[in-house]
Amino acid sequence: MNYEKAYELYENCVNVLRENQHENGGFYASPPGTRYPFIYPRDHSMAIIGSVDADLMDQARRGLDFVLSSQKPLGEFSQRYDVDGNDASYKDLQIDGNGLVLYALGKYFEGSGGSFFEAMADKEFVLKHWEAVEKAVGFILMNKNEEVDLIHTVNSIHEYPAYEHGFEIYANSACCAGIFAAVKMGKALGKDVSLWEEEANKIRDSIMTKLYSARRRSFIKCIRVKDRTSNPIGYDAFASSVIDVDAVEYAPAFFGLVDDTDIKVKSTVKRIHERLWDKEIGGLNRYPEMWDRNNGGYGPWPHFTCELAHHYIRVDNQDMADMYLEWVIDMAHENQLPEHISTIERFEMWFEDYTSAKILRDSKLKMIEHTRSHPKWEDGLAYVTMPLIWPHAEFISAYRSYMSKYG
């Protein structure tokens, strides 16, 4: 890996986080004037984690203050907020947001203490928001199906109910990791969190069994179930499994629920790489092209590419870690990263399909204009939503992980 170029990108990723946090604490998903000038708990949580990894602890704390103070009465976090913390959602429940906020708070708590965790961890901040932690965990468990010990959601990371409505792997992994983070914080504060720990262990066990296919030697995307309370779920109207490969099938290891050296993780990652690494332009696609929800054209996503790089770092496969991170570095434009990258041909095919089907929303017109006017268009590439903040946070985390092992 070109260490000089990697460091330049890392430094600018840190600047991108600094420059895209509103004074109220919220991290924009993309800057004002671009496609996503809102605060999405999912993107926001990853920006907080990136801030912790970049030692931007004040930014992380302000980000947590913003989102924890914007929680709904039942404990849910909205799909997205405006800069004042008002609900600006236009999509249904996305319960992975609850898990991610808790997980990000746990990362901040660990990072605030550093090597002197017991003495220095920011217990005062967690205590300030402990009621929000309790409500967040409670909301997750409110959506757990007791038959299978998995969390039910309508949307997850791709905001695509057709493939995510039910017991979806990213939502379950994030929520499980979030509860475990709450358990760790609770124990440090002297709280009785034994019930939470018991429930988190049940969810982890179910992820490892019910969301894993032994014949495919891979975790699977989702068990489709319409109603959380269906019992038995086999008679639910949606009852089926989504077994297509998805980059987030790495989620159990990404969130630390299982070690990367586990054969289940290794075989899952092998399947993801073989089927989702883009043969034309490199980088990791998020799911199969045939799912046909490829806003801006089918193509690889830098933040999923960074996430899978963690696996290769953790199992000490430097060649593959280099391949993944070098792609991100090479595709950066002026040390900034887009949501995803497509080819002009794929972009125009998507545009034709959505225009002909009358499903092209007005909200996408700005994205189309920006993509076609971007300098990379002259190179035959469509840089969609530039910059997106999330991949900058992911590169920070992956870069720090890589350098701590190989630097």
Side-chain angles (χ1 to χ4, degrees):
M1 186 167 73
N2 185 320
Y3 282 28
E4 183 177 347
K5 287 180 66 178
Y7 183 70
E8 286 179 5
L9 177 56
Y10 168 79
E11 284 281 277
N12 202 59
C13 286
V14 173
N15 289 334
V16 166
L17 289 187
R18 285 197 182 103
E19 293 167 2
N20 286 280
Q21 184 175 30
H22 189 269
E23 61 183 13
N24 289 346
F27 285 99
Y28 292 109
S30 66
T34 61
R35 189 178 175 196
Y36 306 117
F38 295 93
I39 291 85
Y40 294 75
R42 185 181 297 118
D43 303 56
H44 181 75
S45 296
M46 302 314 296
I48 290 168
I49 294 170
S51 297
V52 171
D53 288 339
D55 299 320
L56 302 176
M57 299 304 287
D58 180 61
Q59 283 85 346
R61 182 185 173 108
R62 291 194 295 114
L64 286 163
D65 240 336
F66 173 88
V67 71
L68 290 165
S69 300
S70 303
Q71 187 181 42
K72 289 185 173 181
L74 282 179
E76 178 187 358
F77 294 98
S78 299
Q79 179 233 355
R80 69 181 190 182
Y81 296 98
D82 66 17
V83 295
D84 295 316
N86 299 311
D87 188 350
S89 303
Y90 69 103
K91 292 194 176 182
D92 292 329
L93 170 66
Q94 303 189 15
I95 202 167
D96 60 297
N98 275 54
L100 288 167
V101 170
L102 291 170
Y103 184 71
L105 178 59
K107 289 294 185 183
Y108 167 78
F109 188 59
E110 291 176 12
S112 68
S115 301
F116 303 97
F117 177 75
E118 290 296 329
M120 301 295 291
D122 194 352
K123 296 179 182 179
E124 182 181 348
F125 182 77
V126 177
L127 276 171
K128 171 187 171 183
H129 290 291
W130 188 250
E131 183 181 355
V133 172
E134 291 179 321
K135 289 165 67 176
V137 173
F139 188 81
I140 292 172
L141 296 179
M142 188 190 310
N143 285 277
K144 185 167 79 72
N145 178 285
E146 298 301 325
E147 180 186 355
V148 292
D149 286 322
L150 290 170
I151 309 300
H152 188 269
T153 192
V154 176
N155 276 304
S156 187
I157 187 168
H158 304 318
E159 298 187 327
Y160 197 13
Y163 291 90
E164 296 182 325
H165 190 146
F167 307 119
E168 192 271 341
I169 194 161
Y170 185 86
N172 273 269
S173 298
C175 286
C176 186
I179 298 174
F180 275 126
V183 167
K184 183 173 182 178
M185 291 183 285
K187 287 181 176 180
L189 298 175
K191 305 285 187 180
D192 180 6
V193 290
S194 55
L195 178 61
W196 292 356
E197 187 168 26
E198 180 182 336
E199 292 297 320
N201 281 317
K202 287 180 185 178
I203 298 166
R204 178 169 58 187
D205 290 345
S206 285
I207 291 170
M208 296 300 295
T209 53
K210 298 177 178 69
L211 289 175
Y212 181 79
S213 169
R215 285 180 179 267
R216 294 178 181 84
R217 300 184 64 211
S218 177
F219 288 105
I220 64 168
K221 170 64 174 173
C222 185
I223 300 169
R224 282 195 189 101
V225 172
K226 181 179 182 180
D227 190 344
R228 171 184 61 82
T229 60
S230 290
N231 189 359
I233 63 171
Y235 289 88
D236 183 90
F238 284 8
S240 57
S241 293
V242 179
I243 49 79
D244 297 325
V245 66
D246 186 315
V248 301
E249 287 161 12
Y250 174 60
F254 179 75
F255 287 110
L257 303 180
V258 58
D259 196 275
D260 277 80
T261 59
D262 190 291
I263 188 62
K264 291 182 177 181
V265 178
K266 286 186 171 182
S267 55
T268 296
V269 170
K270 182 175 184 289
R271 179 175 183 249
I272 292 171
H273 175 75
E274 288 176 348
R275 301 192 185 186
L276 292 182
W277 185 262
D278 197 289
K279 302 298 189 294
E280 184 176 0
I281 55 179
L284 199 68
N285 294 298
R286 56 178 177 167
Y287 48 60
E289 187 172 8
M290 66 180 182
W291 283 14
D292 197 29
R293 183 175 172 273
N294 307 310
N295 294 325
Y298 188 69
W301 292 56
H303 55 278
F304 290 122
T305 306
C306 287
E307 286 187 3
L308 213 66
H310 283 285
H311 170 74
Y312 297 114
I313 296 166
R314 292 168 182 171
V315 300
D316 198 18
N317 186 339
Q318 187 174 5
D319 288 344
M320 288 297 287
D322 283 347
M323 175 181 172
Y324 272 62
L325 293 180
E326 282 175 354
W327 179 84
V328 176
I329 295 163
D330 289 344
M331 300 305 281
H333 177 73
E334 296 180 350
N335 286 320
Q336 290 191 342
L337 299 167
E339 175 196 74
H340 77 281
I341 300 165
S342 189
T343 64
I344 290 178
E345 177 64 21
R346 297 180 200 175
F347 180 91
E348 296 296 357
M349 183 65 74
W350 162 79
F351 179 73
E352 178 183 297
D353 289 344
Y354 271 50
T355 302
S356 298
K358 305 296 183 184
I359 57 175
L360 185 66
R361 296 199 304 263
D362 289 345
S363 61
K364 291 186 172 63
L365 297 180
K366 184 178 291 185
M367 176 267 284
I368 292 167
E369 176 189 347
H370 288 179
T371 302
R372 287 174 172 161
S373 63
H374 191 276
K376 282 292 183 178
W377 189 264
E378 298 301 318
D379 295 336
L381 296 172
Y383 273 49
V384 182
T385 307
M386 182 78 173
L388 189 75
I389 310 310
W390 186 343
H392 298 82
E394 293 286 6
F395 185 79
I396 287 170
S397 299
Y399 173 83
R400 293 293 291 262
S401 179
Y402 181 96
M403 293 305 293
S404 69
K405 194 175 191 75
Y406 302 118

